[in-house]
Each structure stands twice: as structure tokens, then as C-alpha cells.
Amino acid sequence: MGTLYLVATPIGNLEDMTFRAIRILQTVDLIAAEDTRHTGKLLQHFQIKTPQLSYHEHNSQQRIPELLSQLSQGKAIALVTDAGMPLISDPGYELVKACVAQGISVVPIPGANAAITALSAAGLATDKFVFEGFLPAKSKERRTYLETLKGETRTIIFYESPHRLRETLQDLGTILGEEREIVLARELTKMHEEFWRGTIKDAIAHYTNREPQGEFTLVVAGATLEKPQLSEAAIKAELQNLLKQGLSRSEASRQLAQQTSLPRRQIYQLALSIPEPNLADE
């Protein structure tokens, strides 16, 4: 059996090509490229003479059996897209799935990726995030999809083309709220790389009189879940429930403080006012 290599290519700056990626592209038997003309320029720059075969979303069903046949004969094949890591909003999933099903080795060769590059410098939370790729092109479908992300608390990453940016910003403002923080990363790793930071409302205003240029990666802050506001009676009722479960007044107060916007000390004072003859005071 051969090996399918998933080779990341630069998203703009050719210096981001790794030594390992160059070696793999030089030594494999075939390169399956999303656009052979685009990849041809990359190969020429690094003096790589490996033959290419086109593999993209429109011919993938035709190409997969052909590539599987060569892999089963022991050939080594590299899959590349126009920029970045294959399969990340780019073709390749069906081929990888077919290789896995047939026991053919799949080896990732990591490198540049626009989503992670933008997230790392955005200045928004990076501990938890979700990548959503390109949103639907039509506004109605886009808004419907954004409704499903309205309560998403993780940082959200999107890709967007310049000609659809303004419409997408409007829909983001309508559905997620204009005060939500957003970072627009443009032309990443290229000469005119830019990070614009502000609220969605500010972003809409920023591009009202400016023509969007270049490919965009949008990094949007996750939703902030407000802690519930409970009345004094409701807090006492909840405290009684926790005390009945065997928690001490201190433990019950600490737990409720984490669930509400009230300070623990204030809740503890309420806990002391609850008569509970069966519980010993601390």
C-alpha cells in the first residue's frame, strides 16, 4: 500500500513553506492539486518537478477511484489545495475517508492555516473556539444558520470573500448583536496583512465607504451568558434545597455564587438567616 500525504502550502508568504513539505512534494510519485496552474507556480519556485493531477470538488468522484488504484499499487501521492491545509474548507474529505476505509496510510504534513493564524493574533479568547468556514451565500440561509450560533460561547471563526463581506457583517449584527466584538483579518502573511478590531457595528461603519479587498478571516467573540438574577426568596429556597442535600452553609453559598451574579458573602448572610434545626452551624 502507498501513502497519501496531506501537504499544507503557504496562504500567502512563500517563506511559510516547510522543509518537510518541500521534501515530500519532491519525493512523491504524484501531486493531486486543486488547481494545477496555481500549484505549478509554487512547484516552479521550489524547483519541484513532480507530475500533477487535478483534484477538486467538481471532479473528485471521478478522481478518487483513480487515486485509490495508484495508492493500492504502492504509489505515494501528495494532496494540496490552493492555500493552507487540505480539507479545511477545501476538497479532500471524501478521498481521505476512502483511504481510511481501505487501510491506506494518510499522513498530514502541517503548515500554514488562515483560521489558526487569525485566531492567534486576534486578541479574543483562544482557549475554546469553533471553526465555521464559509457561511451560506444567500442572506436568508445565512441568517438562519447564524441563529444556530447565537448562543455559542466559544470564539467563532469564519472565512469570507470580499464581495460578500458587507452583507455578512450586516447579518452578523442583526443576529449576533452589533456590540459583539469582531476581528477582521485580511491578506494574512502577505505584504498588506491587516488586523481590524472593534465591534460588529464599527466594522459595518468601517466598510461602508471602503471597498473590501483580499480574502477575510472573521474572528467573532462568543456570546456572554448572563448569570440569572434571583430574588431573595428564590435564593433562600435554593439554599434550603442545598442544605437538605447535606451541603454546609458555606458550600451552598459558594455554589450559588457561581450560578448567580451575587457575591458569596451576601448569599452566606442569607444562609445564616435560614432556620435549619437539623443542621449544625459552622
Side-chain angles (χ1 to χ4, degrees):
M1 286 289 188
T3 301
L4 176 68
Y5 294 95
L6 308 178
V7 182
T9 55
I11 59 177
N13 194 320
L14 291 178
E15 292 181 5
D16 291 334
M17 190 72 169
T18 68
F19 292 121
R20 187 183 181 201
I22 294 172
R23 177 177 61 80
I24 293 297
L25 293 182
Q26 287 174 332
T27 56
V28 292
D29 298 294
L30 179 69
I31 297 172
E34 183 179 7
D35 185 334
T36 54
R37 291 169 300 178
H38 182 90
T39 300
K41 296 176 183 178
L42 177 73
L43 300 183
Q44 184 177 9
H45 179 83
F46 290 104
Q47 300 180 342
I48 298 171
K49 302 185 183 303
T50 306
Q52 293 189 78
L53 180 73
S54 67
Y55 177 89
H56 47 74
E57 60 179 336
H58 303 297
N59 72 355
S60 60
Q61 295 308 308
Q62 168 193 340
R63 291 296 194 203
I64 287 174
E66 181 179 347
L67 293 172
L68 289 177
S69 175
Q70 295 196 47
L71 287 164
S72 64
Q73 294 171 30
K75 296 287 184 66
I77 297 176
L79 176 68
V80 299
T81 57
D82 289 348
M85 192 70 193
L87 279 74
I88 308 301
S89 280
D90 279 319
Y93 163 68
E94 294 293 342
L95 176 59
V96 170
K97 181 180 178 182
C99 285
V100 171
Q102 293 196 20
I104 296 170
S105 178
V106 178
V107 178
I109 311 298
N113 172 267
I116 300 302
T117 301
L119 176 66
S120 66
L124 298 178
T126 59
D127 55 335
K128 294 180 182 179
F129 62 91
V130 56
F131 173 65
E132 290 291 336
F134 286 94
L135 286 164
K138 295 182 179 179
S139 183
K140 184 179 180 181
E141 296 175 1
R142 187 164 56 241
R143 291 189 178 203
T144 299
Y145 190 79
L146 285 172
E147 285 286 354
T148 67
L149 299 174
K150 196 171 183 179
E152 176 59 69
T153 58
R154 295 170 292 184
T155 300
I156 314 170
I157 307 171
F158 302 104
Y159 286 159
E160 193 52 275
S161 59
H163 71 274
R164 235 180 4 243
L165 179 69
R166 288 169 174 164
E167 294 178 11
T168 294
L169 288 174
Q170 290 287 350
D171 290 340
L172 285 169
T174 300
I175 307 301
L176 303 185
E178 291 190 334
E179 297 307 313
R180 187 83 69 97
E181 286 186 87
I182 187 171
V183 177
L184 281 66
R186 184 179 72 87
E187 295 289 86
L188 289 170
T189 78
K190 299 178 183 178
M191 182 181 297
H192 299 292
E193 175 180 278
E194 177 186 34
F195 283 85
W196 184 95
R197 300 172 176 87
T199 64
I200 294 176
K201 180 180 180 179
D202 294 335
I204 293 171
H206 181 76
Y207 278 102
T208 296
N209 300 315
R210 290 176 177 82
E211 192 65 32
Q213 294 182 337
E215 296 300 315
F216 286 83
T217 301
L218 312 181
V219 186
V220 184
T224 301
L225 296 181
E226 294 186 3
K227 293 181 178 180
Q229 298 289 335
L230 299 179
S231 65
E232 185 175 307
I235 293 173
K236 285 185 175 181
E238 186 58 31
L239 282 168
Q240 285 180 328
N241 288 333
L242 294 173
L243 293 174
K244 288 178 181 178
Q245 294 173 24
L247 272 69
S248 69
R249 286 180 169 80
S250 179
E251 292 169 336
S253 301
R254 185 180 299 106
Q255 184 169 316
L256 263 185
Q258 293 173 349
Q259 299 171 4
T260 67
S261 58
L262 294 174
R264 187 181 69 85
R265 182 176 297 179
Q266 182 178 342
I267 297 175
Y268 184 69
Q269 290 302 316
L270 290 174
L272 292 176
S273 69
I274 297 175
E276 193 62 52
N278 295 327
L279 287 172
D281 288 346
E282 294 122 16

